[in-house]
């Protein structure tokens, strides 16, 4: 069993910053790609950013230049540094990871989500 536990969401004013964290735990052989998605009511979940185990990052167009994804492989943790936040960044943010539970068994996991609200 693998768990992804997110933290760091909350209420912030426009222009402010937040850092999200997501730690993987459980029966883990290796954590492959990790990422962050976000979703608002009535809309599909969209990619915010993802990162390979080697550190190559990919960003959604709406967050490029404002958000940074990075990870600590030893801690099995991925972070999302969010700067210059805008009201349209308001959403539930979900951690995603591809995890090997054995050398030949990989599955996708999701966290429970953390709410980010950008408002004055």
């Amino acid at each position: 069993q693998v768990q992804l536990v997110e933290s760091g969401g909350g209420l912030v004013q426009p222009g402010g910053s937040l850092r999200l964290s997501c730690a993987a735990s459980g029966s883990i052989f290796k954590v492959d790609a990790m990422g962050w998605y976000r979703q608002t009511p009535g809309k599909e979940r969209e990619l915010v950013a993802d990162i390979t185990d080697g550190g190559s990052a990919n960003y959604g167009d709406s967050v490029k230049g404002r958000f940074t994804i990075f990870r600590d492989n030893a801690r099995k943790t991925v972070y999302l540094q969010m700067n210059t936040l805008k009201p349209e960044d308001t959403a539930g943010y979900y951690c995603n990871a591809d995890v090997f539970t054995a050398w030949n068994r990989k599955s996708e996991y999701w966290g429970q989500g953390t709410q980010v609200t950008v408002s004055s």
Side-chain angles (χ1 to χ4, degrees):
Q1 191 77 355
V2 173
Q3 298 83 37
L4 300 179
V5 179
E6 300 124 330
S7 61
L11 173 65
V12 63
Q13 292 187 341
S17 298
L18 278 177
R19 178 178 292 186
L20 305 183
S21 301
C22 171
S25 64
S27 300
I28 297 172
F29 177 77
K30 178 181 179 293
V31 181
D32 202 355
M34 304 183 81
W36 291 93
Y37 289 72
R38 66 187 182 187
Q39 188 171 25
T40 54
K43 293 189 176 181
E44 292 189 359
R45 193 168 290 188
E46 65 170 357
L47 173 71
V48 177
D50 58 21
I51 185 168
T52 67
D53 60 342
S56 290
N58 176 53
Y59 296 91
D61 289 340
S62 62
V63 307
K64 285 179 181 176
R66 299 187 298 121
F67 290 11
T68 302
I69 189 170
F70 56 102
R71 62 191 285 172
D72 182 336
N73 289 336
R75 297 179 186 269
K76 301 183 182 66
T77 299
V78 64
Y79 304 90
L80 185 69
Q81 177 66 41
M82 305 185 292
N83 297 329
T84 320
L85 281 159
K86 304 175 181 180
E88 51 264 43
D89 295 317
T90 296
Y93 282 71
Y94 297 86
C95 178
N96 172 273
D98 292 328
V99 178
F100 285 89
T101 52
W103 71 270
N104 60 347
R105 188 183 309 135
K106 184 170 75 171
S107 299
E108 181 182 41
Y109 295 88
W110 291 91
Q112 80 285 356
T114 185
Q115 179 66 30
V116 171
T117 302
V118 185
S119 175
S120 54

